[in-house]
């Protein structure tokens, strides 16, 4: 089956959004609401096991402040905190404080030029995605993506495969025609459960996670200008991850004859 579409996760994959983006935005929302909660980097690393901002706030309160959840308006309070957090996060994005990871802009442009279809499958909101794309790639960039599957359009967030299934349905493609890009074990579990071969670019918070089953595990996609050779791609002759290399990984992952062969 020929590769037809690339499906990208956002947080940790398109950009390192968590440490200096989402995390301080959560803390600013908590302070604004008069809460003494503060998520430092170590705690935030643990909390990332729960995907989705509203779900993460609820999980934190269950563990550290059950009295908050006992309030009659807890559900509404969580929604309010999350809305404030999104406002703070978007201000950072618009200020240009959340750049794309190496190789993302280059690969997206090349994929569009080479006729590959593009989509997004993320836990965060559609607004966060479009603003991140526009801030980094210009106002037209959202149009490069045929489908943006985001946030609450599915009931179960990653590691459930639902958001990938939602995107596949709208692309009208089977999983074997696609390649996914993820940075975390939760994201990889979601894409693999949807049957999609997946390239992992390990992120700031995801070192040491279990990436078994990935088509390739890399530090990042690399820039053509840097003498970067992905560790799992020894001997392929590409200085960075490009569409030809993706096609080779996709063939290897979807062709069972290649499955036992670790060489490219
Ligand atoms: C990303 C998430 C999100 C972001 C915050 O996971 O878990 O919750 O941290 O986004 P993935 P919201 O990269 O696997 O999609 O606060 O907008 O939910
Ligand atoms: Mg991610």
């Amino acid at each position: 089956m020929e590769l037809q579409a690339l499906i990208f996760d956002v947080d940790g994959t398109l950009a390192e959004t968590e440490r200096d983006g989402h995390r301080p935005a959560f803390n600013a929302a908590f302070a604004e609401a008069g809460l003494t909660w503060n998520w430092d980097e170590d705690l935030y690393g643990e909390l990332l096991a729960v995907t989705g901002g509203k779900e993460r706030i609820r999980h934190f309160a269950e563990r550290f402040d059950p009295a908050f959840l006992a309030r009659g308006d807890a559900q509404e309070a969580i929604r309010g905190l999350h809305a404030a957090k999104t406002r703070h996060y978007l201000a950072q994005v618009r200020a240009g404080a959340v750049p794309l990871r190496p190789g993302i802009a280059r690969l997206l442009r090349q994929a569009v030029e080479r006729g590959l279809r593009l989509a997004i499958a993320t836990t965060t909101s559609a607004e966060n995605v479009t603003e991140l794309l526009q801030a980094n790639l210009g106002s037209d960039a959202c149009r490069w993506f045929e489908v943006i599957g985001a946030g609450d359009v599915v009931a179960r967030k990653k590691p459930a495969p639902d958001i990938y299934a939602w995107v596949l349905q709208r692309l009208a493609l089977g999983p074997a025609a696609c390649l996914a890009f993820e940075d975390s074990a939760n994201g990889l579990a979601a894409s693999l459960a949807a049957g999609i071969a997946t390239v992992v670019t390990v992120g700031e918070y995801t070192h040491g996670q279990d990436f078994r089953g990935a088509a390739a595990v890399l530090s990042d996609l690399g820039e053509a200008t840097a003498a970067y050779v992905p560790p799992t791609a020894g001997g392929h002759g590409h200085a960075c991850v490009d569409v030809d290399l993706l096609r080779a990984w996709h063939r290897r992952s979807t062709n069972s004859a290649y499955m036992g062969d670790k060489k490219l």
Side-chain angles (χ1 to χ4, degrees):
M1 167 78 63
E2 203 194 338
L3 177 64
Q4 294 181 52
L6 307 181
I7 309 176
F8 289 85
D9 168 50
V10 175
D11 296 300
T13 300
L14 290 188
E16 290 287 12
T17 55
E18 300 290 2
R19 190 186 59 191
D20 301 325
H22 290 297
R23 186 186 67 86
F26 279 111
N27 287 330
F30 300 153
E32 213 171 69
L35 293 165
T36 54
W37 302 352
N38 183 62
W39 293 358
D40 65 24
E41 279 189 44
D42 287 346
L43 173 60
Y44 194 67
E46 286 175 37
L47 295 175
L48 278 174
V50 178
T51 58
K54 293 186 288 292
E55 292 81 354
R56 191 169 302 141
I57 294 170
R58 174 170 288 279
H59 168 80
F60 172 83
E62 274 164 8
R63 254 176 82 187
F64 297 105
D65 195 353
F68 176 87
L69 289 182
R71 292 162 47 164
D73 66 344
Q75 183 77 3
E76 208 182 308
I78 290 173
R79 267 203 300 272
L81 285 171
H82 191 252
K85 174 259 168 182
T86 298
R87 176 165 44 78
H88 289 292
Y89 175 73
L90 287 175
Q92 288 296 102
V93 169
R94 286 180 195 127
V98 188
L100 299 179
R101 291 191 64 187
I104 291 287
R106 173 188 55 74
L107 186 66
L108 290 177
R109 286 199 177 93
Q110 191 193 29
V112 171
E113 274 167 28
R114 301 276 295 268
L116 284 175
R117 300 166 69 190
L118 298 180
I120 296 278
T122 180
T123 301
T124 199
S125 67
E127 191 185 15
N128 285 357
V129 179
T130 53
E131 296 268 356
L132 181 75
L133 293 172
Q134 282 168 4
N136 285 287
L137 296 167
S139 52
D140 280 353
C142 293
R143 276 192 249 137
W144 302 355
F145 293 86
E146 220 174 293
V147 177
I148 295 184
D152 297 330
V153 296
V154 290
R156 296 184 314 162
K157 291 186 175 168
K158 299 173 189 177
D162 302 27
I163 193 67
Y164 278 101
W166 190 95
V167 168
L168 288 176
Q169 199 189 16
R170 273 148 192 86
L171 286 171
L173 289 175
C178 302
L179 198 56
F181 294 79
E182 280 286 353
D183 70 301
S184 70
N186 269 336
L188 177 65
S191 55
L192 291 182
I196 306 170
T198 305
V199 173
V200 171
T201 47
V202 182
E204 283 177 349
Y205 278 110
T206 63
H207 288 279
Q209 293 188 354
D210 183 355
F211 296 124
R212 270 175 295 181
V217 181
L218 315 165
S219 58
D220 55 64
L221 298 174
E223 292 293 5
T225 50
Y228 176 83
V229 177
T232 57
H236 59 68
H238 296 253
C240 56
V241 176
D242 60 12
V243 167
D244 292 329
L245 186 54
L246 293 181
R247 286 196 185 283
W249 282 337
H250 176 259
R251 259 196 314 277
R252 185 181 60 178
S253 297
T254 53
N255 181 347
S256 56
Y258 281 75
M259 289 306 271
D261 182 358
K262 292 286 170 224
K263 292 197 298 284
L264 190 65

